[in-house]
Amino acid sequence: MVNFFEAEILKGKYFPPKSRERLRATMVNLFILVGIFVILLYAYENLAQGYYVMLAVEMSIVFTLMVTYLVFPHYVSIKTSSYMILGALTFLLAISLVVPDKDPELSLFWLASLPIFVFFFLGVDNGIRWSTNMFLILLFIPLFSFVTGIRFVYEWELLSQILLGYLVVSYMLYIIESERSSYEERLAIALEENQMLFKEVHHRTKNNMQVIMGLLETQSFKIDDPHYKKMFETHVDRLKAMSLMHKNLYTNHSYEEVDIQEYLEGIAKNLKTYTQHKIMTNIDPIMVDMKIAMNIGLIFNEAVTNAIEHAFEEDEEGEINIAFRHIGERCVFIIHDNGKGFDSTKSYKSLGMTLIKDLAGTLMNSSLMIKKSEGTLIKIYFNLEEYA
């Protein structure tokens, strides 16, 4: 219920979750709705008591606030809405100090709430300018009353005290907002420095892996035995899968999550370079925790490498299909080739098969199925939750 009110009634759904823009948007609309309700209550009393001038002022303010609420945020921004609200409230406050109504004390409520709204929505610099203009407007009222002797809602002595109170409240909020803005600025600088550090760490890790891969590839050139040569090449492919992870992390804005589509398609592109078989991918573009993505990438590399090496005859051109789907709270990862399959009665203890089983076991609430189905079918179900 609370989420519905915040997202739909206060229109927070139009802004990123947990962002300052969303907070400001919901506060603007909450202020509008509360303001409309309060002003309508006093407008009804003024209507009953015959204060028609103040009634007209209040209804015009209600109309302005209602239009602002209805067109927000499609036609007016948060900043524009804030200025419209401030303009309406400033006018209402100034008029309430001059024109009598049923409850003139309402002006003191708007006087206390106005500085809070000013500094929260406009910031320090614009808040100072607005408060200065407001101070000059309020200063004119007691001066005019003192010079002319005309009594408005309050005596000029009380008006002077109201003016002083507004000045003190505005200054206190200026100090608070200045400290908050300074803290946010320092926090933003620290966050940027941390992001640069993470980016540099992932970049250097990828470069170190490139050096290791280069050394392994150079060593493999000196090996004549095809069996051992293939072992070196397999290890290089595993390192490439992990290297792509770090590349994906430092080239994107997130340093904890990876676009699984981009990551797996990068591994597939690398594997396509040394096989004539078709590798087809159908992967949902979702963000996945980097540790989960790393294990999925290694499973991908092992399963496709095994299919390339063992699923097809020497002159046969086969097809390997990879799918990754996010369905509700569960994910399904499928690798299916149309090769000769395998004997399900035998126990396979190769390093690649062992890695697939062990890595699948690290995924949250996972279930692994490997069977012969017009080739070999590997299907893994797991929950996409925070990696433990």
Side-chain angles (χ1 to χ4, degrees):
M1 185 66 182
V2 175
N3 291 335
F4 175 81
F5 181 76
E6 185 267 345
E8 299 294 335
I9 306 300
L10 301 183
K11 302 187 178 183
K13 65 179 181 180
Y14 297 106
F15 301 89
K18 299 181 180 180
S19 64
R20 182 166 176 80
E21 288 77 16
R22 188 183 182 106
L23 175 62
R24 292 177 64 204
T26 55
M27 290 299 293
V28 162
N29 287 297
L30 180 62
F31 201 95
I32 289 175
L33 295 178
V34 171
I36 290 175
F37 177 75
V38 172
I39 295 173
L40 284 176
L41 289 179
Y42 283 96
Y44 176 77
E45 292 185 357
N46 286 327
L47 175 64
Q49 298 295 326
Y51 294 99
Y52 298 116
V53 175
M54 198 62 194
L55 173 66
V57 172
E58 290 171 337
M59 293 309 298
S60 64
I61 299 298
V62 168
F63 177 77
T64 302
L65 294 179
M66 183 62 70
V67 171
T68 303
Y69 174 78
L70 292 176
V71 301
F72 177 87
H74 303 292
Y75 299 102
V76 294
S77 63
I78 298 177
K79 184 177 181 180
T80 303
S81 298
S82 300
Y83 276 114
M84 292 178 68
I85 296 170
L86 284 172
L89 293 183
T90 300
F91 178 71
L92 178 62
L93 174 60
I95 291 298
S96 65
L97 295 175
V98 176
V99 179
D101 66 350
K102 173 67 170 55
D103 293 297
E105 293 80 9
L106 180 63
S107 60
L108 302 180
F109 168 77
W110 297 122
L111 186 70
S113 61
L114 189 60
I116 300 174
F117 193 93
V118 167
F119 284 99
F120 181 81
F121 290 99
L122 301 187
V124 175
D125 295 335
N126 291 331
I128 283 293
R129 284 193 288 269
W130 190 280
S131 295
T132 301
N133 293 332
M134 185 63 192
F135 175 78
L136 294 176
I137 293 173
L138 294 177
L139 180 62
F140 173 77
I141 297 174
L143 287 178
F144 183 80
S145 177
F146 175 75
V147 172
T148 62
I150 298 176
R151 183 182 182 278
F152 296 116
V153 177
Y154 303 105
E155 297 288 348
W156 72 267
E157 294 90 349
L158 182 57
L159 287 173
S160 301
Q161 295 176 29
I162 292 174
L163 179 63
L164 181 61
Y166 179 84
L167 187 62
V168 171
V169 172
S170 296
Y171 180 73
M172 291 174 60
L173 289 171
Y174 163 74
I175 297 298
I176 295 172
E177 185 65 21
S178 297
E179 288 296 322
R180 187 199 61 79
S181 299
S182 177
Y183 173 76
E184 281 193 352
E185 185 177 350
R186 294 194 302 269
L187 187 62
I189 293 173
L191 179 61
E192 184 178 357
E193 290 175 349
N194 285 337
Q195 288 177 343
M196 292 177 63
L197 179 60
F198 277 117
K199 184 174 181 179
E200 182 64 20
V201 167
H202 288 297
H203 182 62
R204 292 193 179 190
T205 302
K206 191 213 75 163
N207 288 344
N208 291 338
M209 286 186 169
Q210 295 282 1
V211 172
I212 296 172
M213 286 187 286
L215 292 173
L216 290 175
E217 288 176 339
T218 301
Q219 188 66 35
S220 68
F221 294 149
K222 301 178 181 179
I223 299 175
D224 296 327
D225 189 321
H227 175 70
Y228 292 108
K229 188 179 185 71
K230 187 61 183 175
M231 288 179 60
F232 272 82
E233 292 174 350
T234 301
H235 286 307
V236 169
D237 288 336
R238 290 169 183 151
L239 285 170
K240 284 181 179 178
M242 291 187 285
S243 176
L244 281 171
M245 163 68 66
H246 292 283
K247 180 181 179 181
N248 190 294
L249 285 168
Y250 82 75
T251 55
N252 289 286
H253 297 294
S254 175
Y255 299 98
E256 296 180 353
E257 294 183 325
V258 173
D259 185 336
I260 196 68
Q261 182 186 60
E262 181 180 345
Y263 175 49
L264 295 184
E265 287 182 352
I267 298 175
K269 183 179 179 181
N270 173 62
L271 294 172
K272 287 177 183 179
T273 58
Y274 63 88
T275 180
Q276 78 275 16
H277 306 304
K278 293 182 180 178
I279 301 177
M280 314 294 291
T281 58
N282 188 6
I283 303 165
D284 286 349
I286 60 174
M287 300 302 291
V288 177
D289 181 272
M290 67 175 185
K291 295 179 181 178
I292 296 177
M294 177 79 78
N295 290 343
I296 292 172
L298 289 172
I299 293 171
F300 180 103
N301 183 80
E302 295 299 326
V304 175
T305 300
N306 285 346
I308 291 172
E309 293 179 2
H310 307 296
F312 309 103
E313 300 296 340
E314 186 174 348
D315 297 328
E316 184 182 3
E317 183 176 338
E319 184 175 300
I320 306 169
N321 290 283
I322 297 95
F324 188 95
R325 287 281 177 267
H326 186 205
I327 306 170
E329 296 181 355
R330 300 282 282 175
C331 286
V332 58
F333 184 37
I334 303 171
I335 303 101
H336 185 210
D337 66 67
N338 63 348
K340 57 188 177 182
F342 67 100
D343 189 349
S344 59
T345 62
K346 293 184 179 180
S347 177
Y348 294 89
K349 296 183 179 180
S350 66
L351 177 60
M353 191 61 68
T354 301
L355 279 173
I356 290 174
K357 292 179 179 178
D358 289 346
L359 291 169
T362 65
L363 302 175
M364 184 73 68
N365 298 327
S366 63
S367 62
L368 170 65
M369 181 184 68
I370 305 176
K371 68 176 184 178
K372 185 176 181 178
S373 176
E374 298 181 354
T376 301
L377 174 65
I378 301 175
K379 187 178 290 188
I380 305 172
Y381 290 93
F382 64 95
N383 284 2
L384 194 62
E385 297 179 1
E386 184 176 354
Y387 193 84

